[in-house]
């Protein structure tokens, strides 16, 4: 009897996912009793559900048990990885930070002993402090100090360590840790109305300067003091104290920490109703009426409720054992994405993360119930918080905690209003930084749902914040420094806000995310004035593009009847706006971006127009950074604006015509079942497309397969099968000569030394100059080879050759057609896949690795960027796709990790596990990786070694990784100043041999002066386009000296052939039968026998003689 499935009840509030992969927000507010045991995720299933207690006689099914064990193993592994990583990043409080604790205690004593200062008018107090202590008070701008403003100093009411260091959730950053020391100012220094017009912040700045004066006079402290802005908030200057270095070892240890002295006041100093987000606390004489100042108010309120949040986070840590680790996981996740508490980093850091979890553990759900349970593990808290961020739009639907009836006017920024403490927790975030945060949360959750992804690496290891990897289009806009002082409340955000609004309107659906990067602030000496907020040279802007819409050339505006909207449209676009009638009869305002002959993309054109019209930047040269350089560098690709598949239209059309011609042939012994495309040119993946009319590169024959219907008339002998194929090809050649679309056909014989390999093909030249190479696929040939290998049929060839023939047959006749079909489908699905594959191959060729890395392997690597893009989103430009592909190559640990690609999301967990088992078996069978270095499998090729069997060798695979790492370092260092051609410059100084070939035209046959060596060309039957003597020369070198020298070349140019001597040809004992020329070495004292080594001079002389006039010079290094 079949067992009934176990009933389960959900005990947590992590949202489930629907069939579309979207998070259901209705489940977030579900409330139930949590488990009393705060176990890790391994004790719960993927959605946090725990099975009911059932009698022991009830057993789950085999598949359910296997799935549960697999989930448990992955959860346990994740827990071990988490514990190890947090152990490395957690500071050693008792050892390395003991000196920091002693310094903090000294500092607390000094702060408590600073003498009071009597109240003085602001100008006098400022001047007195400058003259007596040489300290420039860091007043926020604009500095308008009246004589009525009284400044004074009194001893602080409290001095406490706060922040992540106090909660033991601090993480090391470059080996350093930051300690926050909160100084609570006395309430009597402030009046009730000091919340208005920067009065509080002016008094606060003076109080901070008095603290600096007191510390400098303390002989017990050896600290270097400087000013900085707290989280880039120019209203909140703070003191940064760092240990003074004297060059000895103790100083270097003490330099691993710094102290930030921040200020706070008590909660009741200012009435809460006066500083709510919808109140105006700054009088603007230039504006009509009072406008709300939410960020100013929230900054003031944040200093009032500092102690309240310390209490809140402490209570959360007491209620949940996993809260501390969840905060550390969140902080690490944010750090890897470049997000932080500072305004320039998005305004969402570890404090905001911890506060959000604390609030959701208390409220946020339906009827005021909590969203998160106290019994969650740290991973469950972390994942549930990501789900909340990704599924909840706090801009469109602001959340008011403990105050459902408390409403504010609509705001452009996110709102998570904590009524109990009277503050918007997300006040430092802008609309664009909030959208970036949500986008990162969505990408992380999608990565967690990908069974082929390394979840731990996606979340906590991969560095996601590099602009050229994160954004599809990234550029810098230079802005001149304003002549007048700007109010500090603007936080450098006015320009970013304007850029955001203009670009959002102009780009429309072309961009899915737009992120203006606000410049960060820096520290400055205490005796210098506060730096101007707009000293930056420019603002950087990043775009995530929609590949489906970013090349749209027509923007449709409002109808002519809508006068107001039409006026706005015309004012925004200026002369570009025009009235047009469309095919459906509508008359709309519109903008046309079709510029024939221009290499600039639509996105570039729109950006340049907006900067010119609204910011006064005249042309594109006034900004730096563009993704177009990568598209222009790609052969036969004008720009990313043009159709990415356009270079291949000629060959695809010619292939279709050829297929029709072959199918229409009469007189063939068998009917044609199928014609397969197997060439990179027919899957949009070759560096150069045939038929492009260019002669500066070699033309490769376009390979395809033809399969006839099954018949018992095929011979049972392998050699006879090869002869039968030749007869079929000769028959096709005779028939196709009558076709008007074909200019010539020629039978081609090859591999005469290996009788079991494919020995014949038919070259067909069409009237448009494209040459196709046709081979015949016989479906029973594989079974015949396998029988020969097993000894079931007689075969004169050795078993090693039979095994190689089987591998070659599977690769060329079974896997390559399937691979071509899959890649072709993906190229039409992802427009940027084709140029990405081509550019990756161009990069491989530029570094002389053409003969070592199969095209199909690089195609799989490029496809991974689109099928499994995590931790990023789907690439929207060639720049981001190429750089992310290089990043994967640089970080892929191919020695211990297989590459698995799922083209259609059809691989099951069992199939993935079987692929991994096969990879482990290869590593055990070949621990030295002498045969298989890289393992690349897919849902259509589960063997994993089809494209990597014996190539690349381990040495080449290591160089492949090293070159990618060097390229990624260049991308990171250069940033916006990156020139793509730098990535394609080979390093020739590392090779032992350089064979320089002459730069003459080598794609045509040279007539010999000897009559018997001349090859007669029949008129109209020339195949010179695919005659490549340099390639033939390289192949001969590989065959003759491949065991002694490792050769490298660029197959697209073949201007130089590089080589490395095989270490096995070094000094060794002489013996009979060495397969290379040797020379004796001088016998050293104490040596028992004579030694020989390879005769390098003789080998190079033979190579030079073999190359003849083709070689310009041979260098030995």
């Amino acid at each position: 009897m079949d067992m009934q499935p176990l009933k389960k009840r959900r005990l947590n509030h992590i949202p489930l996912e629907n069939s579309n992969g979207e998070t259901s927000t209705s489940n977030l507010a579900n409330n139930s009793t949590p488990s009393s045991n705060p176990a890790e995720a391994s004790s719960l299933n993927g959605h946090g559900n725990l099975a009911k207690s059932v009698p022991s006689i009830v057993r789950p099914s085999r598949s359910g048990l296997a799935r549960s064990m697999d989930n448990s193993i992955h959860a346990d592994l994740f827990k071990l990885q988490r514990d190890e990583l947090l152990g490395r990043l957690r500071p050693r409080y008792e050892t390395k930070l003991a000196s920091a604790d002693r310094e903090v205690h000294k500092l607390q004593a000094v702060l408590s002993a600073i003498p009071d200062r009597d109240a003085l008018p602001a100008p006098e107090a400022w001047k007195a402090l400058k003259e007596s202590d040489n300290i420039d008070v860091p007043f926020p701008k604009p500095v308008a100090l009246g004589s009525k403003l009284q400044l004074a100093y009194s001893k602080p009411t409290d001095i406490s360590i706060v922040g992540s260091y106090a909660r033991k959730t601090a993480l090391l950053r470059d080996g350093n840790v930051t300690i926050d020391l909160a100084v609570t100012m006395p309430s009597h220094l402030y009046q009730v109305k000091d919340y208005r017009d920067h009065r509080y912040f002016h008094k606060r700045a003076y109080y901070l300067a008095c603290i600096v004066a007191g510390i400098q006079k303390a002989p017990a402290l050896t600290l270097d003091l400087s000013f900085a802005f707290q989280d880039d908030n120019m209203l909140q200057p703070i003191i940064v104290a760092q240990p003074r270095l004297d060059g000895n070892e103790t100083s270097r240890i003490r330099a691993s920490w710094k102290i930030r002295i921040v200020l706070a006041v008590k909660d009741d100093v200012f009435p809460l109703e006066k500083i709510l987000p919808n109140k105006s606390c700054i009088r603007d004489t230039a504006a009509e009426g009072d406008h709300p100042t939410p960020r100013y108010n929230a900054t003031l309120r944040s200093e009032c409720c500092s102690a309240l949040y310390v209490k809140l986070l402490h209570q959360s840590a007491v209620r949940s054992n996993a809260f501390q680790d969840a905060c550390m996981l969140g902080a690490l996740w944010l750090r890897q994405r470049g997000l932080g508490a500072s305004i320039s980093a998005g305004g969402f850091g570890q404090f905001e993360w911890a506060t959000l979890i604390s609030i959701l553990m208390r409220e946020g759900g339906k009827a005021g119930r909590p969203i998160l349970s106290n019994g969650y593990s740290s991973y469950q808290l972390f994942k549930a918080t990501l789900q909340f961020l990704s599924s909840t739009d706090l801009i469109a639907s602001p959340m008011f905690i403990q105050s459902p009836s408390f409403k504010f006017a609509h705001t452009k920024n996110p709102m998570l209003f904590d009524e109990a403490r009277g503050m918007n927790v997300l006040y430092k975030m802008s609309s664009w930084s909030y959208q970036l945060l949500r986008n990162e949360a969505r990408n992380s959750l999608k990565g967690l749902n990908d069974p082929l992804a390394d979840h731990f690496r996606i979340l906590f290891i991969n560095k996601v914040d590099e602009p050229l990897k994160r954004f599809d289009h990234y550029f810098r806009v230079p802005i001149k420094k304003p002549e007048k002082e700007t109010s500090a409340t603007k936080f450098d955000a006015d320009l970013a806000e304007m850029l955001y609004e203009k670009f959002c309107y102009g780009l429309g659906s072309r961009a899915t995310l737009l992120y203006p990067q606000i410049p960060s602030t820096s520290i400055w000496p205490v005796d210098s004035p506060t730096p101007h907020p707009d000293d930056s040279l420019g603002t950087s802007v990043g775009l995530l593009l929609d590949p489906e819409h970013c090349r749209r050339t027509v923007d449709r505006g409002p109808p002519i009847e809508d006068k107001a909207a039409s006026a706005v449209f015309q004012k925004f676009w200026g002369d570009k706006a025009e009235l047009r009638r469309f095919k459906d009869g509508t008359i709309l305002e519109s903008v046309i971006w079709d510029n024939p002959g221009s290499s600039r993309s639509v996105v570039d054109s729109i950006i340049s127009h907006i900067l010119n019209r609204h910011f006064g930047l005249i042309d594109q040269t006034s900004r730096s950074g563009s993704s177009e350089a990568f598209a222009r560098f790609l052969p036969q690709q004008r720009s990313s604006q043009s159709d990415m598949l356009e270079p291949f239209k000629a060959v695809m059309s010619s292939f279709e015509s050829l297929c029709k011609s072959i199918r229409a042939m009469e007189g063939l012994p068998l009917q044609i079942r199928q014609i397969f495309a197997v060439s990179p040119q027919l899957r949009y993946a070759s560096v150069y497309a045939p038929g492009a009319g260019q002669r500066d590169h070699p033309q490769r024959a376009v390979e395809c397969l033809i399969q006839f219907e099954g018949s018992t008339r095929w011979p049972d002998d392998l050699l006879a099968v090869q002869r039968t194929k030749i007869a079929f090809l000769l028959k096709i050649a005779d028939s196709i000569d009558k076709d008007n679309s074909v200019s010539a056909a020629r039978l081609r014989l090859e591999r005469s030394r290996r009788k079991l390999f494919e020995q014949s093909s038919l070259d067909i030249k069409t009237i448009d100059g494209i040459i196709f190479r046709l081979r015949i696929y016989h479906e029973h040939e594989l079974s015949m080879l396998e029988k020969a290998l097993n000894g079931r049929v007689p075969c004169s060839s050795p078993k090693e050759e039979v095994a190689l023939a089987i591998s070659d047959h599977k690769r060329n006749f079974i896997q390559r057609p399937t691979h071509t079909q899959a890649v072709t489908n993906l190229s039409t699905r992802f427009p940027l896949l084709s140029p990405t594959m081509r550019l990756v191959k161009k990069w491989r060729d530029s570094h002389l690795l053409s003969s070592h890395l199969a095209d199909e392997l690089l195609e799989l690597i490029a496809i991974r960027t689109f099928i499994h893009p995590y931790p990023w989103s789907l690439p929207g430009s060639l720049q981001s796709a190429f750089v992310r592909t290089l990043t994967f190559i640089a970080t892929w640990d191919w020695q211990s990790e297989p590459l698995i690609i799922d083209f259609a999301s059809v691989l099951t967990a069992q199939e993935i596990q079987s692929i991994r088992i096969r990879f482990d078996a290869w590593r055990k069978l070949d621990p030295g990786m002498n045969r298989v270095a890289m393992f690349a499998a897919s849902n259509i090729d589960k063997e994993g070694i089809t494209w990597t069997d014996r190539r690349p060798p381990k040495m080449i695979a290591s160089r492949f990784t090293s070159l990618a790492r060097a390229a990624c370092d260049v991308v990171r260092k250069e940033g916006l100043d990156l020139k793509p051609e730098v990535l394609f410059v080979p390093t020739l100084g590392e090779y032992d041999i350089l064979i320089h070939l002459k730069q003459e035209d080598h794609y045509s046959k040279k007539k010999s002066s000897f009559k018997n060596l001349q090859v007669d060309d029949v008129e109209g039957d020339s195949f010179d386009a695919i005659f490549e003597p340099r390639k033939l020369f390289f192949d001969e070198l590989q065959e003759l000296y491949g065991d002694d020298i490792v050769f490298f070349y660029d197959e697209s140019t073949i201007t130089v052939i590089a080589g490395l001597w095989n270490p096995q040809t070094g000094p060794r004992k002489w013996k009979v039968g060495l397969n290379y020329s040797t020379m004796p070495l001088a016998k050293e004292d104490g040596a028992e026998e004579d030694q020989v080594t390879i005769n390098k001079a003789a080998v190079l002389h033979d190579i030079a003689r073999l190359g003849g006039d083709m070689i310009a010079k041979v260098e030995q290094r």
Side-chain angles (χ1 to χ4, degrees):
M1 183 178 65
D2 295 333
M3 302 304 300
Q4 296 295 328
L6 297 177
K7 289 186 177 180
K8 301 179 180 180
R9 61 187 179 92
R10 194 155 51 87
L11 298 179
N12 60 28
H13 322 301
I14 298 180
L16 304 178
E17 293 179 354
N18 56 32
S19 59
N20 298 326
E22 299 174 351
T23 303
S24 174
T25 57
S26 61
N27 295 325
L28 283 171
N30 245 354
N31 188 25
S32 58
T33 305
S35 171
S36 59
N37 180 18
E40 293 297 328
S42 59
S43 62
L44 299 104
N45 64 19
H47 297 298
N49 300 334
L50 188 65
K52 267 187 175 182
S53 298
V54 293
S56 58
I57 60 172
V58 179
R59 299 187 182 95
S61 63
R62 286 182 179 268
S63 60
L65 182 60
R67 186 165 52 251
S68 175
M69 292 177 62
D70 185 64
N71 292 338
S72 177
I73 292 173
H74 284 290
D76 289 339
L77 177 61
F78 189 96
K79 182 179 181 297
L80 292 174
Q81 292 174 318
R82 180 207 66 187
D83 293 342
E84 181 181 0
L85 181 62
L86 292 184
R88 292 182 179 181
L89 295 177
R90 186 179 285 111
R92 298 179 181 178
Y93 295 93
E94 295 78 11
T95 56
K96 288 191 175 182
L97 293 179
S99 61
D101 290 335
R102 291 192 297 268
E103 206 70 22
V104 168
H105 291 310
K106 292 180 184 178
L107 186 57
Q108 288 176 319
V110 170
L111 294 178
S112 301
I114 296 177
D116 295 348
R117 292 177 183 261
D118 296 334
L120 292 174
E124 296 181 16
W126 185 5
K127 181 179 179 180
L129 194 60
K130 180 67 175 177
E131 292 177 351
S132 61
D133 299 281
N134 192 27
I135 297 174
D136 202 305
V137 181
F139 290 120
K141 289 180 171 59
V143 181
L145 302 177
S147 58
K148 295 183 179 180
L149 182 63
Q150 299 289 311
L151 302 180
Y153 177 85
S154 295
K155 294 182 180 180
T157 58
D158 183 67
I159 304 173
S160 303
I161 301 176
V162 296
S164 59
Y165 186 85
R167 301 195 308 272
K168 303 296 183 182
T169 60
L171 296 178
L172 293 174
R173 181 185 289 272
D174 298 328
N176 300 324
V177 67
T178 300
I179 305 171
D180 288 339
L181 190 64
V183 177
T184 304
M185 298 176 287
S187 301
H188 65 82
L189 295 178
Y190 300 96
Q191 299 177 359
V192 177
K193 293 188 177 182
D194 278 348
Y195 65 87
R196 299 183 64 90
D197 298 327
H198 299 92
R199 274 181 267 176
Y200 166 80
F201 294 104
H202 287 150
K203 290 185 176 182
R204 177 193 184 281
Y206 179 77
Y207 194 94
L208 193 72
C210 293
I211 291 178
V212 172
I215 296 176
Q216 288 182 340
K217 296 176 182 178
L221 296 177
T222 56
L223 298 173
D224 290 330
L225 303 179
S226 55
F227 286 131
F229 290 120
Q230 181 177 344
D231 299 332
D232 293 331
N233 191 332
M234 296 178 185
L235 292 174
Q236 291 179 291
I238 59 175
I239 302 171
V240 178
Q242 294 175 300
R244 189 172 301 155
L245 303 181
D246 55 15
N248 57 32
E249 184 67 23
T250 304
S251 296
R252 282 192 289 272
I253 295 176
R254 294 174 61 195
S256 62
W257 53 267
K258 66 178 179 180
I259 302 173
R260 298 197 317 168
I261 302 177
V262 299
L263 300 182
V265 292
K266 290 186 177 181
D267 177 44
D268 56 356
V269 173
F270 303 112
L272 175 59
E273 62 274 8
K274 297 294 184 181
I275 53 176
L276 292 175
N278 59 344
K279 300 296 182 180
S280 175
C281 295
I282 300 177
R283 289 174 293 183
D284 191 352
T285 57
E288 296 181 2
D290 292 334
H291 298 278
T293 53
R295 185 164 287 179
Y296 174 97
N297 303 356
T299 302
L300 178 55
R301 182 59 192 169
S302 67
E303 300 209 343
C304 296
C305 57
S306 174
L308 300 180
Y309 280 104
V310 170
K311 181 179 179 181
L312 172 68
L313 299 181
H314 175 71
Q315 292 174 348
S316 299
V318 172
R319 297 172 62 177
S320 172
N321 295 331
F323 176 77
Q324 301 283 62
D325 284 349
C327 292
M328 298 180 71
L329 291 177
L332 182 58
W333 181 82
L334 292 169
R335 177 191 296 183
Q336 295 303 98
R337 282 144 186 80
L339 298 172
S342 63
I343 295 175
S344 61
F348 191 91
Q350 185 175 7
F351 167 76
E352 287 77 15
W353 176 276
T355 303
L356 177 61
I357 294 180
S358 298
I359 290 176
L360 297 182
M361 289 172 61
R362 288 163 174 78
E363 293 196 37
K366 294 181 179 180
R369 292 179 293 185
I371 291 180
L372 305 181
S373 169
N374 296 333
Y376 280 2
S377 68
S378 59
Y379 174 71
Q380 289 174 316
L381 288 174
F382 170 79
K383 185 177 180 181
T385 306
L386 288 184
Q387 290 175 329
F388 174 82
L389 290 173
S390 64
S391 62
T392 308
D393 188 351
L394 297 177
I395 297 179
S397 302
M399 180 175 290
F400 300 91
I401 304 298
Q402 295 184 353
S403 182
S405 61
F406 194 61
K407 300 295 182 182
F408 295 134
H410 179 72
T411 177
K412 299 179 182 178
N413 298 332
M415 173 70 73
L416 178 62
F417 190 76
D418 182 8
E419 195 273 338
R421 282 152 284 275
M423 193 180 76
N424 176 20
V425 178
L426 308 180
Y427 76 95
K428 289 181 291 185
M429 299 196 74
S430 58
S431 55
W432 54 88
S433 66
Y434 179 65
Q435 297 299 342
L436 179 65
L437 174 66
R438 296 190 66 205
N439 181 73
E440 296 295 348
R442 284 192 293 267
N443 291 340
S444 297
L445 290 174
K446 290 178 182 178
L448 290 176
N449 293 328
D450 187 348
L452 294 175
D454 186 340
H455 299 163
F456 188 81
R457 179 177 293 275
I458 286 176
L459 293 175
F460 307 117
I461 302 299
N462 288 338
K463 195 70 174 171
V464 189
D465 62 334
E466 295 181 26
L468 295 186
K469 298 177 185 177
R470 165 180 278 175
F471 299 112
D472 299 320
H473 197 92
Y474 190 68
F475 58 94
R476 183 185 298 117
V477 181
I479 299 297
K480 296 181 180 179
K481 178 179 176 179
E483 297 179 358
K484 298 182 180 180
E485 288 188 343
T486 305
S487 172
T489 57
K490 295 182 181 297
F491 302 97
D492 276 330
D494 282 351
L495 171 63
E497 181 71 30
M498 186 179 299
L499 287 171
Y500 182 75
E501 293 178 355
K502 299 299 183 184
F503 285 136
C504 281
Y505 185 89
L507 294 172
S509 60
R510 293 182 179 88
T512 58
L513 187 141
L514 194 147
Y515 185 77
Q517 178 68 55
I518 297 178
S520 60
T521 59
S522 58
I523 63 176
W524 71 95
V526 295
D527 57 351
S528 299
T530 306
H532 195 277
D534 291 310
D535 283 342
S536 59
L537 297 177
T539 297
S540 300
V541 181
L543 303 176
L544 288 183
L545 302 177
D546 186 345
E548 183 178 353
H549 298 100
C550 64
R551 291 190 296 273
R552 187 180 67 245
T553 58
V554 179
D555 281 335
R556 297 193 179 192
I560 190 174
E561 295 81 6
D562 192 344
K563 301 297 182 182
S566 297
V568 173
F569 189 87
Q570 294 172 6
K571 181 179 179 181
F572 184 87
W573 293 114
D575 296 339
K576 291 290 292 184
E578 57 184 40
L579 203 60
R580 280 185 170 247
R581 181 190 295 273
F582 293 90
K583 292 182 179 180
D584 58 0
T586 58
I587 301 176
L588 303 175
E589 295 284 351
S590 60
V591 178
I592 308 299
W593 300 102
D594 188 12
N595 299 322
S598 175
S599 62
R600 180 179 294 185
S601 68
V602 169
V603 173
D604 253 354
S605 300
I606 294 175
I607 292 173
S608 297
H609 180 80
I610 293 175
L611 293 178
N612 179 20
R613 178 166 179 80
H614 298 283
F615 297 91
L617 299 179
I618 301 200
D619 55 21
Q620 191 179 15
T621 59
S622 61
R623 61 186 174 91
S624 59
S626 174
S627 61
E628 289 304 299
F630 284 89
R632 290 193 293 267
F633 190 76
L634 190 65
Q636 300 166 290
Q637 191 76 43
R638 296 195 309 271
S639 72
S640 62
Q641 170 59 21
S642 59
D643 185 3
M644 296 299 179
L645 305 182
E646 182 179 1
F648 297 91
K649 289 183 177 180
V651 66
M652 299 299 288
S653 176
S654 183
F655 176 69
E656 292 179 2
S657 300
L658 179 64
C659 291
K660 293 179 181 179
S661 300
I662 295 176
R663 291 182 182 277
M665 289 181 184
E666 297 180 357
L668 294 178
L670 295 175
Q671 293 294 324
I672 296 175
R673 176 186 296 176
Q674 186 68 36
I675 300 178
F676 301 99
V678 297
S679 176
Q681 295 98 318
L682 295 177
R683 55 179 182 259
Y684 310 106
S686 61
V687 178
Y688 294 96
Q694 298 186 14
R695 298 289 298 168
D696 58 346
H697 60 84
Q699 179 176 341
R700 303 280 188 262
V702 182
E703 298 185 3
C704 50
L705 302 178
I706 182 171
Q707 181 184 12
F708 292 97
E709 64 180 5
S711 173
T712 58
R713 297 164 59 187
W714 281 92
D716 294 332
D717 183 72
L718 288 170
L719 298 182
V721 168
Q722 297 298 327
R723 302 297 184 268
T724 305
K725 289 183 178 181
I726 294 176
F728 268 102
L729 293 176
L730 288 173
K731 182 63 176 178
I732 294 174
D734 292 340
S735 301
I736 207 168
D737 277 340
K738 305 173 184 178
D739 194 286
N740 295 329
S741 63
V742 176
S743 63
R746 180 185 67 178
L747 182 67
R748 182 172 178 268
L749 299 179
E750 56 189 6
R751 289 177 174 174
S752 59
R753 298 180 182 178
R754 293 182 174 180
K755 299 179 180 180
L756 299 182
F757 283 70
E758 192 68 15
Q759 296 183 359
S760 59
S761 61
L762 181 65
D763 287 350
I764 302 174
K765 184 175 182 180
T766 61
I767 57 175
D768 51 8
I770 300 177
I771 299 175
F772 291 89
R773 181 161 293 163
L774 186 65
R775 304 181 192 273
I776 296 178
Y777 167 49
H778 177 39
E779 63 270 21
H780 297 301
E781 190 173 359
L782 178 60
S783 62
M784 296 169 63
L785 288 170
E786 291 175 344
K787 290 178 181 179
L789 181 65
N790 297 330
R792 296 166 58 185
V793 296
C795 181
S796 59
S797 301
K799 290 188 178 297
E800 292 78 6
E801 183 178 342
V802 178
L804 291 176
I806 292 175
S807 176
D808 183 78
H809 183 89
K810 288 182 178 180
R811 179 168 51 252
N812 293 323
F813 293 98
I814 298 177
Q815 289 298 337
R816 191 159 277 145
T818 308
H819 177 84
T820 299
Q821 181 62 42
V823 174
T824 302
N825 295 336
L826 289 177
S827 296
T828 56
R829 175 184 171 190
F830 302 110
L832 291 169
L833 175 58
S834 172
T836 302
M837 293 187 294
R838 297 171 62 198
L839 199 57
V840 172
K841 292 181 181 181
K842 179 66 178 177
W843 179 79
R844 171 205 62 182
D845 296 342
S846 299
H847 293 284
L848 311 182
L849 298 178
S850 301
S851 61
H852 297 288
L853 295 166
D855 285 348
E856 292 80 2
L857 173 61
L858 296 185
E859 290 164 14
L860 290 175
I861 292 175
I863 288 171
R864 182 199 172 277
T865 304
F866 293 83
I867 299 295
H868 311 289
Y870 318 110
W872 296 283
S873 55
L874 187 70
S877 71
L878 180 57
Q879 166 193 287
S880 59
F882 177 65
V883 174
R884 292 176 192 176
T885 304
L886 289 182
T887 301
F888 170 74
I889 298 173
T891 57
W892 177 25
D893 183 10
W894 42 265
Q895 298 186 24
S896 58
E897 295 178 6
L899 172 63
I900 305 176
I901 304 297
D902 192 355
F903 288 95
S905 301
V906 295
L907 281 176
T908 63
Q910 291 77 11
E911 290 175 328
I912 295 174
Q913 185 63 21
S914 66
I915 293 175
R916 297 186 185 278
I917 292 175
R918 188 175 294 110
F919 168 77
D920 294 336
W922 268 109
R923 286 295 180 257
K924 294 178 181 178
L925 181 66
D926 182 23
M929 292 175 283
N930 297 316
R931 179 178 173 182
V932 178
M934 292 181 170
F935 187 94
S938 65
N939 60 300
I940 60 177
D941 175 26
K942 299 182 179 63
E943 295 295 326
I945 63 170
T946 301
W947 317 116
T948 59
D949 191 5
R950 296 180 175 85
R951 58 182 296 214
K954 184 170 63 174
M955 178 193 70
I956 302 299
S958 299
R959 177 160 180 80
F960 185 48
T961 302
S962 300
L963 289 171
R965 288 175 180 170
C968 291
D969 289 341
V970 172
V971 171
R972 181 173 58 255
K973 292 176 182 178
E974 296 295 328
L976 287 173
D977 299 325
L978 175 68
K979 298 184 183 303
E981 54 267 22
V982 176
L983 303 178
F984 296 84
V985 177
T987 304
L988 300 179
E990 300 176 351
Y991 296 101
D992 299 329
I993 305 169
L994 291 178
I995 306 172
H996 297 275
L997 305 182
K998 293 181 180 179
Q999 299 295 325
E1000 299 174 359
D1001 182 15
H1002 57 281
Y1003 301 123
S1004 60
K1005 299 177 183 178
K1006 292 179 62 179
K1007 285 189 174 292
S1008 175
S1009 58
F1010 300 99
K1011 184 68 175 179
N1012 63 327
L1013 297 181
Q1014 293 181 2
V1015 179
D1016 295 331
D1017 286 337
V1018 180
E1019 184 178 356
D1021 190 24
S1022 174
F1023 289 87
D1024 288 350
I1026 59 173
F1027 177 68
E1028 303 176 56
R1030 298 190 183 192
K1031 177 65 167 58
L1032 296 176
F1033 174 59
F1034 178 85
D1035 292 340
E1036 193 163 3
L1037 289 179
Q1038 189 71 32
E1039 184 175 358
L1040 294 176
Y1041 304 102
D1043 295 334
D1044 310 327
I1045 305 173
V1046 182
F1047 290 103
F1048 305 82
Y1049 84 117
D1050 178 357
E1051 69 176 1
S1052 61
T1053 59
I1054 321 183
T1055 58
V1056 62
I1057 297 176
L1060 291 173
W1061 295 105
N1062 190 330
Q1064 295 181 357
T1065 61
R1068 60 175 300 169
K1069 177 184 175 182
W1070 182 85
K1071 69 175 183 179
V1072 178
L1074 290 177
N1075 58 355
Y1076 53 85
S1077 175
T1078 60
M1079 59 183 294
L1081 293 176
K1083 188 173 183 179
E1084 299 180 357
D1085 295 338
E1088 298 180 356
E1089 299 179 352
D1090 294 333
Q1091 288 190 327
V1092 296
T1093 185
I1094 188 170
N1095 190 344
K1096 297 181 180 179
V1099 171
L1100 295 182
H1101 182 269
D1102 290 343
I1103 291 176
R1105 185 176 59 178
L1106 181 65
D1109 295 338
M1110 191 182 302
I1111 296 179
K1113 64 176 180 177
V1114 178
E1115 292 184 54
Q1116 180 179 356
R1117 305 194 173 204

